[in-house]
Amino acid sequence: MAIDLSSLVKAYDVRGVVPDQLSPEVARALGAAFARVVVLPDAGADDAGADDAGAASERPGVVIGRDMRDSGPELVDAFAAGLTAAGVDVTLIGLCSTDGLYFASGQLDRPGAMFTASHNPAQYNGIKLCRSGARPVGQETGLAQIRDLAQGYLDDALPQPVAEPGQIAERDLLADYASFLRSLVDLSGIRPLKVVVDAGNGMAGLTAPAVLQEAAGLAGLPLDVVPLFFELDGSFPNHEANPLEPSNLIDLQAAVVANEADLGLAFDGDADRCFVVDERGGAVSPSAVTALVGLAEVTKELATGRTPTVIHNLITSRAVPDLLSAAGATTVRTRVGHSFIKAQMAQHGAVFGGEHSAHYYFRDFWYADTGMLAALHVLAAVGTQDHTMSELAEMFEPYVGSGEINSTVSDAAAATERVLDAYRAAYPGIVVDTLDGVTVSHWESHPQWWFNLRASNTEPLLRLNVEAADQDIMEKVRDDVLSLVRETADGMAEGEETS
């Protein structure tokens, strides 16, 4: 049966069902293509990145990590075989979080490959690729070339192995990763805190004990960690490892209240995203976390005499640019998606970046995202003053948001235009921009509100986010926009899906 990589290679990574879409054969072809596009660009594919060759040996090198999925070892071996056949050395770091792989790529100055499907079910696996220094590889920065070259190998044949193949070595970097993160946020002097950590049977079950406790041989911290689902299990027997879904936070919320903890932390399957629950069991919005962590990074940068820049995507709360600008930062608004955030981070030399999806990016972490570093900042914020987590969240979350609401529509463009026509007629002073979908803003006048409508790239969905200065206004704008979006030509409502 012919293999088609078009449905496997996404905009930012590789992800699919094992073995129907992602098999060892496919992994080997992708490894061979990665070698030639990113690691050895002069050997056969157009690419700007000759510095990607690892400097640690005469041969270029790649570092590979994986999450706890059962399919990981076989896929890693196949991918590594594609690399070594091209003359590339491979360093296997074994089980790690995605930000652990980014750490390895940055610390070793080598391109990297992380085998994970994040929060997807057990039958899935995938690959996140990066250049040396954890620089992202996406559709426009090499991933499309890798897909096309690998497709050619699958349709025809793999290239002949070089005379001197690369070598494979193993290296444990967990303690180095934990020590590096601790060097960026010092928790040794905070007041004692009790924190419940929900690893969701994902990789935080490995990294949280290393960073927050003493599993990696580091000194103890004034933290009483209550573990939830730390057992590494790629079948996710307790709940989906996707804390963005409120149903997956229920166990953590209950445990925080039952243990009278100061806060709770939840991580997704590959532990690159972090979610926060306050002492009352309430979910803290990623926008509030963005503002809180951003303020810490801004304060640190201002102490050096430099003006810091912070990146945020366009559907984070208006509180983020408001609070950080007031603190002395320059804020830059960008499209939704980590490739856009990372590009803007590097372009502006930004100290920090945040997304509504709970991805947090740090200049001091090679401009890459790390949920564990964000968690350390949150713990520092709670532990260095007397406010509770809920009180801090209230300070950083002054407005009311709808969350993201998906509507199934047959014609996203027509639905969007219907909304714009109605709002232009009702509010002549609105501001409309098209940075990502359409954002309609009435923020400079009262009542204050804004909303964004974005069409999905892969499904017939329109995604709505609304924010307002109070609950009643938010609900009115939300309901009015949804009514317009879901109205068909004959006046009937189209389908809906809310998340």
Side-chain angles (χ1 to χ4, degrees), residues 75-100:
L75 294 174
V76 166
D77 288 347
F79 190 87
L83 288 165
T84 55
V88 177
D89 285 344
V90 171
T91 299
L92 301 177
I93 62 171
L95 288 166
C96 65
S97 57
T98 289
D99 64 327

Side-chain angles (χ1 to χ4, degrees), residues 45-127:
D46 235 1
D47 186 75
D51 63 324
D52 284 321
S57 67
E58 293 182 4
R59 278 191 299 259
V62 168
V63 59
I64 303 177
R66 65 177 178 87
D67 71 11
M68 63 288 145
R69 293 165 189 272
D70 290 343
S71 59
E74 185 178 29
L75 294 174
V76 166
D77 288 347
F79 190 87
L83 288 165
T84 55
V88 177
D89 285 344
V90 171
T91 299
L92 301 177
I93 62 171
L95 288 166
C96 65
S97 57
T98 289
D99 64 327
L101 184 279
Y102 293 151
F103 166 78
S105 173
Q107 194 78 352
L108 301 178
D109 195 27
R110 295 181 180 181
M114 175 66 188
F115 278 75
T116 181
S118 187
H119 61 274
N120 284 97
Q123 66 268 31
Y124 284 80
N125 212 323
I127 319 171

Side-chain angles (χ1 to χ4, degrees), residues 405-411 415 418 460-462 482-488 492-498:
I405 303 170
N406 293 330
S407 298
T408 303
V409 294
S410 55
D411 189 335
R418 193 159 59 239
L461 297 176
L462 266 180
L482 288 176
S483 177
L484 289 162
V485 164
R486 295 167 179 172
E487 175 187 310
T488 60
M492 301 294 289
E494 295 200 71
E496 63 185 77
E497 176 189 347
T498 303

Side-chain angles (χ1 to χ4, degrees), residues 397-470:
E397 198 173 355
Y399 311 128
V400 181
S402 65
E404 190 156 274
I405 303 170
N406 293 330
S407 298
T408 303
V409 294
S410 55
D411 189 335
T416 300
E417 197 57 40
R418 193 159 59 239
V419 172
L420 285 176
D421 288 345
Y423 272 83
R424 282 180 172 132
Y427 300 93
I430 60 171
V431 177
V432 177
D433 77 60
T434 56
L435 175 63
D436 192 351
V438 296
T439 301
V440 177
S441 177
H442 196 261
W443 203 255
E444 303 307 318
S445 305
H446 291 280
Q448 289 180 299
W449 54 263
W450 65 268
F451 67 82
N452 173 268
L453 272 176
R454 297 164 18 254
S456 167
N457 292 323
T458 58
E459 302 171 272
L461 297 176
L462 266 180
R463 310 189 191 279
L464 171 67
N465 284 270
V466 182
E467 185 174 53
D470 64 64

Side-chain angles (χ1 to χ4, degrees), residues 94-348:
L95 288 166
C96 65
S97 57
T98 289
D99 64 327
L101 184 279
Y102 293 151
F103 166 78
S105 173
Q107 194 78 352
L108 301 178
D109 195 27
R110 295 181 180 181
M114 175 66 188
F115 278 75
T116 181
S118 187
H119 61 274
N120 284 97
Q123 66 268 31
Y124 284 80
N125 212 323
I127 319 171
K128 295 181 179 180
L129 301 170
C130 65
R131 299 177 183 277
S132 60
R135 291 174 292 153
V137 174
Q139 284 281 10
E140 297 178 0
T141 53
L143 192 55
Q145 291 171 276
I146 293 168
R147 177 200 63 210
D148 293 344
L149 193 58
Q151 186 70 65
Y153 294 155
L154 292 168
D155 293 343
D156 189 6
L158 288 164
Q160 288 297 312
V162 298
E164 295 186 19
Q167 302 298 306
I168 295 179
E170 296 182 2
R171 187 165 178 178
D172 184 357
L173 291 175
L174 181 61
D176 293 338
Y177 158 82
S179 180
F180 181 77
L181 290 183
R182 282 208 196 178
S183 75
L184 298 177
V185 181
D186 183 9
L187 295 183
S188 60
I190 65 171
R191 63 182 171 90
L193 296 176
K194 179 180 282 190
V195 54
V196 183
V197 179
D198 185 348
N201 298 112
M203 290 314 303
L206 178 73
T207 59
V211 178
L212 304 181
Q213 298 174 286
E214 301 169 43
L218 302 181
L221 295 171
L223 297 173
D224 178 5
V225 176
V226 179
L228 275 187
F229 315 131
F230 272 29
E231 304 79 17
L232 302 184
D233 189 337
S235 69
F236 306 112
N238 294 288
H239 61 71
E240 183 183 31
N242 180 17
L244 194 60
E245 287 291 336
S247 60
N248 296 321
L249 288 176
I250 292 173
D251 292 323
L252 176 62
Q253 291 168 314
V256 167
V257 174
N259 285 277
E260 298 182 344
D262 293 284
L263 72 157
L265 301 171
F267 295 88
D268 64 346
D270 59 337
D272 62 347
R273 290 187 293 157
C274 176
F275 294 75
V276 180
V277 167
D278 67 32
E279 80 286 354
R280 300 180 301 191
V284 179
S285 83
S287 286
V289 175
T290 296
L292 184 154
V293 177
L295 185 60
E297 291 287 346
V298 164
T299 301
K300 184 169 65 175
E301 185 75 355
L302 287 170
T304 69
R306 297 187 294 264
T307 300
T309 297
V310 174
I311 310 296
H312 64 97
N313 73 24
L314 57 79
I315 58 175
T316 53
S317 169
R318 287 294 173 95
V320 171
D322 288 355
L323 293 169
L324 298 182
S325 296
T330 298
T331 61
V332 176
R333 179 172 172 265
T334 186
R335 294 176 62 185
V336 174
H338 78 266
S339 64
F340 303 114
I341 288 267
K342 286 182 177 177
Q344 291 292 307
M345 288 280 294
Q347 179 180 333
H348 293 277

